[in-house]
Amino acid sequence: MKYNQLNIRNIILLFLISITLFPILSFAQQADTLLPAKELEPLVITAEKTAVTYSRLMRVVQVISKEDISNLPVQSIENVLEYALNTDIRSRGTFGIQADISIRGGSFDQTMILLNGVNITDPQTGHHNLDLPLDISAIERIEILQGAGARIFGPNAFNGVINIITSVENCPQAAIAGMAGEHGLYKVNGTLGLKILQSSHQFALGKSASNGFISNTDFEQFNFFYHNKIKTGKSTIEMQSGFSSKDFGANSFYTPKYPLQYEATRTLFASLRINTQKPGFSPVVYWRRHFDRFELFRSDPPSWYTSHNYHRTDVLGSNASYTFIQGKYGKTTAGYDIRYEKIVSNKLGDSLSVPISIPSEASAKYYLGKERVHAALFGEQSVYVGNFSVSAGFLVNYQAEIKGRFSIYPGLDAGYQLNELFRIYASANRTLRLPTFTDLYYNDAVSIGNPDLKPEEAISIESGVKFLKNGMSGHLAVFKRYGSNMIDWVKPTAEEKWHAENLTDVDLTGAEISFHSDFNRHFKRDCFISSVSAGYSMITANKSSDNFLSKYVLDILKHKADFQLSHRIIKNVSAHWSLSYQDRAGGYIKYVNGVAETTESAYQPFFLLDSRISWTYKGWVLYVEGSNLLDVNTIDFGNVPQPGRWIRGGFRFSPKINKC
């Protein structure tokens, strides 16, 4: 089968047209930031198309601040998200090597990842969405938008969005940190902020490695990130770029039949944005390249194994937003997004007319490939009258290779401020998710892709009540998702291959409740207990995997409860405790000594307890921390080993620089 080439000239023309349309069209992937409140100042939200105060917010947005991250006993972004409300982290590798992230019972391919508002989601597979070019030390905050987001962010914001935000300080700053622990674990990283005339610059560098807690769980990773802002009159030019590399033993990652797997990934990323103050106008262009080499056998391969898997993806995108403010009563926003995705591989896609050599791999070539382009236009009208807020809009999506090609995704959000403490809200949105290249084309000894897959679609409805008062916040929400053509990898028995299939209809029903209190802010003094957070979520699906094995979609977290506590011990010494209870639906076929059992084993619930004790003095932070302190057997994916108790310690030093 010949490689199905898209007309490159048309792609370039479409891209150039998109740039010329910046002043009148846009898509809302501008920096969707949610700014932390200062004392006595209103919380400013921009998790919708345009910024609004918390009193007008019509969606659930959870924010994890830089201070929260610095207190947590964590060393990677997925560790931070482990305790986020209704967020499911299914880890394979440790300390940022690989994890799948889903929100409100969705699959890992249904969560969009943004870096400073720019879509860095991987088109090959959601397994690579967290191949990020930065360490958590560079993060200012993480925002989690719960629920359908396609009308706001476009395709693949199916069940939620995670926006990772870094800051560029106006004042010079620097920090260096180091950590070491059991199993040969170490980590070093540093950040540097510079102020040069009208420009601010941030640099972040990090490296970590471990011998592994058992055989074939070793890893080594490196990342570099650069972010700047340049003021030019009333506008700001913002650029970010980064690189990451990961090499790791992938013990049973994708099949327990052959546990001695190995993987190496490389990520390059860059984006350029122009922000104008009036009118609201923010064009962006971005590029992401990802390399992946997967070895089914790290050593001693059998005679039938002739080649590793090689993949390279490129994403080139452009979006912008334009907002017209109609006094204090409303805003009109219009926009677009265009995204070109390409993969070359020896496993995924159609036949290339001319094979492509793979750098540093003398005998390997890319023989297959695929290109696709999708574009979206949106419009939204927001109205604010007294205590009432409403936002209605739509997204028109164009997908070049889908029959029908055009589809419309409308939505409506509304909220009413009952009093200064409580706000009720409701929303209804239609959403979609395009199949990944892996869904469409991956074939091997244990898996069969499906090039005829249809996009996933759903209608999501939600209602709830939110609370905010002087450092205290919380919410209660109920939601329903009516999903159609849901994509999963399934098989009827342990002896069959995994098949990528559309599972007709899969509906989810759920509820969640959360509470957070910052006692220091609430009482305006230094309290023994500085903060407490608690959350609980429950989800049920109208289908189960009783008649077949489900690899992802139906293995949802039925129940998840999280509790976090920060408190002072003595002067300059504090402690943080994180406890999570997780109960997962579904099951897996257990392998013992390489042999599959004949019956399915259910996932067992478990508790996770992590803690950190810190000493802080004049720019120095010394800490000791531990994960899985209860040393329980945790299983996120069947047969993928997870570490037990893991103790480590480290330091961070940030000198005071008086040059503001």
Side-chain angles (χ1 to χ4, degrees):
M1 184 166 54
K2 293 184 178 180
Y3 180 29
N4 182 18
Q5 296 252 1
L6 292 172
N7 190 314
I8 301 299
R9 288 178 299 176
N10 289 342
I11 295 171
I12 295 174
L13 179 62
L14 187 58
F15 188 76
L16 292 176
I17 291 174
S18 74
I19 296 176
T20 63
L21 289 176
F22 276 151
I24 58 175
L25 297 173
S26 69
F27 181 70
Q29 283 183 342
Q30 59 193 356
D32 184 19
T33 59
L34 189 138
L35 303 177
K38 297 179 181 179
E39 193 66 42
L40 302 179
E41 293 183 359
L43 189 63
V44 178
I45 307 292
T46 58
E48 299 184 2
K49 292 290 193 298
T50 54
V52 296
T53 61
Y54 184 89
S55 63
R56 290 175 173 172
L57 183 62
M58 294 169 279
R59 298 296 298 271
V60 174
V61 179
Q62 183 181 2
V63 181
I64 304 172
S65 69
K66 188 178 187 72
E67 182 180 1
D68 295 333
I69 295 172
S70 66
N71 290 331
L72 290 170
V74 299
Q75 298 293 334
S76 65
I77 292 173
E78 54 262 43
N79 295 149
V80 174
L81 297 172
E82 184 78 56
Y83 297 94
L85 178 69
N86 225 337
T87 301
D88 184 8
I89 305 297
R90 305 186 72 179
S91 296
R92 286 189 171 91
T94 57
F95 296 99
I97 287 301
Q98 190 180 102
D100 294 346
I101 298 182
S102 60
I103 298 173
R104 285 188 173 177
S107 74
F108 63 95
D109 284 321
Q110 295 172 349
T111 301
M112 179 178 286
I113 308 296
L114 308 178
L115 180 55
N116 290 312
V118 178
N119 183 3
I120 59 172
T121 307
D122 192 282
Q124 177 192 334
T125 172
H127 296 318
H128 300 321
N129 281 345
L130 287 181
D131 283 355
L132 303 173
L134 75 164
D135 183 77
I136 60 172
S137 60
I139 297 174
E140 179 67 21
R141 61 190 175 276
I142 300 174
E143 304 169 357
I144 306 170
L145 175 66
Q146 302 275 4
R151 177 170 67 90
I152 303 173
F153 299 98
N156 298 349
F158 190 87
N159 245 43
V161 177
I162 295 175
N163 189 16
I164 300 162
I165 298 171
T166 64
S167 67
V168 181
E169 301 289 346
N170 290 323
C171 301
Q173 52 85 26
I176 186 170
M179 179 270 292
E182 297 175 285
H183 312 300
L185 175 68
Y186 75 86
K187 177 181 177 181
V188 292
N189 60 274
T191 58
L192 175 66
L194 300 175
K195 176 76 172 179
I196 304 174
L197 299 177
Q198 296 300 309
S199 64
S200 301
H201 307 260
Q202 182 195 41
F203 301 86
L205 190 71
K207 183 178 181 181
S208 61
S210 170
N211 299 330
F213 59 94
I214 61 172
S215 174
N216 199 36
T217 60
D218 57 305
F219 70 84
E220 183 175 1
Q221 60 179 328
F222 169 83
N223 56 71
F224 171 78
F225 182 70
Y226 169 67
H227 188 191
N228 77 8
K229 289 184 179 180
I230 303 173
K231 291 184 178 180
T232 58
K234 294 184 178 180
S235 300
T236 302
I237 299 173
E238 182 178 351
M239 186 184 77
Q240 58 180 337
S241 60
F243 168 78
S244 76
S245 68
K246 298 181 180 181
D247 300 84
F248 50 94
N251 191 323
S252 303
F253 271 26
Y254 303 108
T255 172
K257 191 173 183 178
Y258 309 113
L260 199 63
Q261 301 161 46
Y262 187 81
E263 193 162 8
T265 67
R266 305 288 184 266
T267 307
L268 293 162
F269 168 75
S271 72
L272 178 67
R273 178 194 306 276
I274 300 175
N275 296 301
T276 62
Q277 293 181 358
K278 293 183 179 180
F281 174 46
S282 181
V284 161
V285 291
Y286 63 92
W287 168 72
R288 179 184 185 270
R289 169 168 285 186
H290 187 270
F291 299 90
D292 175 36
R293 184 184 81 244
F294 173 72
E295 304 175 13
L296 187 60
F297 296 94
R298 186 173 185 173
S299 61
D300 302 321
S303 59
W304 55 264
Y305 183 75
T306 58
S307 175
H308 305 319
N309 294 352
Y310 299 94
H311 316 285
R312 189 192 77 199
T313 58
D314 283 280
V315 176
L316 182 63
S318 171
N319 60 73
S321 65
Y322 186 90
T323 300
F324 174 70
I325 300 176
Q326 301 169 328
K328 64 180 180 179
Y329 295 108
K331 302 175 184 179
T332 301
T333 306
Y336 86 97
D337 174 78
I338 184 169
R339 184 173 165 98
Y340 165 71
E341 300 173 342
K342 177 181 179 180
I343 189 168
V344 288
S345 170
N346 65 344
K347 295 293 291 185
L348 304 174
D350 301 329
S351 297
L352 293 171
S353 56
V354 178
I356 301 173
S357 298
I358 303 175
S360 72
E361 303 288 343
S363 60
K365 293 181 181 292
Y366 298 123
Y367 295 97
L368 305 173
K370 193 70 176 178
E371 295 175 297
R372 65 185 184 186
V373 62
H374 58 84
L377 300 174
F378 83 86
E380 181 181 77
Q381 179 65 49
S382 299
V383 177
Y384 311 117
V385 179
N387 292 335
F388 181 75
S389 306
V390 63
S391 177
F394 65 90
L395 178 131
V396 179
N397 185 68
Y398 169 80
Q399 180 65 35
E401 295 192 341
I402 294 177
K403 185 178 180 180
R405 297 195 177 185
F406 288 94
S407 50
I408 300 177
Y409 298 88
L412 175 68
D413 305 326
Y416 183 78
Q417 193 72 28
L418 295 173
N419 50 46
E420 67 174 12
L421 297 180
F422 294 98
R423 177 174 182 79
I424 57 174
Y425 70 94
S427 67
N429 289 276
R430 187 169 181 240
T431 189
L432 82 155
R433 198 273 285 189
L434 304 175
T436 65
F437 289 127
T438 297
D439 293 331
L440 296 168
Y441 297 107
Y442 192 77
N443 296 296
D444 63 8
V446 295
S447 306
I448 301 176
N450 185 351
D452 297 321
L453 287 173
K454 301 176 183 178
E456 296 178 315
E457 294 186 323
I459 295 175
S460 295
I461 59 175
E462 175 184 351
S463 64
V465 58
K466 302 168 70 69
F467 165 83
L468 177 67
K469 181 64 175 179
N470 292 341
M472 294 187 179
S473 61
H475 85 282
L476 171 66
V478 292
F479 54 89
K480 180 85 174 184
R481 191 198 71 189
Y482 301 91
S484 60
N485 297 323
M486 307 304 291
I487 299 171
D488 196 9
W489 291 80
V490 299
K491 60 179 179 177
T493 70
E495 303 304 322
E496 304 261 349
K497 291 186 177 183
W498 293 102
H499 294 256
E501 300 289 349
N502 288 112
L503 293 182
T504 60
D505 299 335
V506 179
D507 300 339
L508 295 178
T509 303
E512 62 189 29
I513 185 171
S514 72
F515 174 78
H516 171 77
S517 180
D518 184 336
F519 290 100
N520 291 343
R521 179 179 174 183
H522 182 74
F523 294 105
K524 299 180 181 180
R525 61 184 178 85
D526 186 16
C527 301
F528 173 74
I529 297 178
S530 56
S531 66
V532 171
S533 298
Y536 169 74
S537 60
M538 60 170 294
I539 302 175
T540 60
N542 70 329
K543 285 188 184 301
S544 67
S545 57
D546 292 341
N547 298 322
F548 57 87
L549 298 177
S550 167
K551 204 167 189 179
Y552 302 115
V553 169
L554 298 177
D555 290 352
I556 61 176
L557 275 183
K558 299 183 296 182
H559 302 279
K560 184 172 187 274
D562 301 303
F563 176 80
Q564 298 189 62
L565 171 68
S566 294
H567 65 89
R568 185 179 70 251
I569 299 177
I570 57 174
K571 184 179 180 180
N572 299 330
V573 180
S574 61
H576 180 93
W577 304 86
S578 297
L579 178 67
S580 180
Y581 171 79
Q582 301 179 20
D583 183 9
R584 187 176 304 281
Y588 62 99
I589 296 296
K590 185 180 295 185
Y591 276 67
V592 179
N593 297 324
V595 179
E597 295 185 344
T598 57
T599 59
E600 186 179 26
S601 296
Y603 284 103
Q604 297 299 313
F606 58 81
F607 283 93
L608 277 178
L609 177 63
D610 300 344
S611 181
R612 169 185 281 197
I613 298 175
S614 305
W615 174 75
T616 304
Y617 183 73
K618 292 186 177 180
W620 283 92
V621 177
L622 303 179
Y623 66 88
V624 59
E625 66 183 27
S627 54
N628 194 4
L629 292 177
L630 301 178
D631 201 26
V632 299
N633 180 27
T634 65
I635 299 178
D636 286 334
F637 288 101
N639 298 287
V640 177
Q642 296 293 322
R645 184 184 299 113
W646 201 328
I647 307 298
R648 50 202 178 264
F651 75 93
R652 185 177 187 272
F653 176 62
S654 180
K656 186 176 181 180
I657 303 175
N658 295 315
K659 290 186 178 181
C660 271

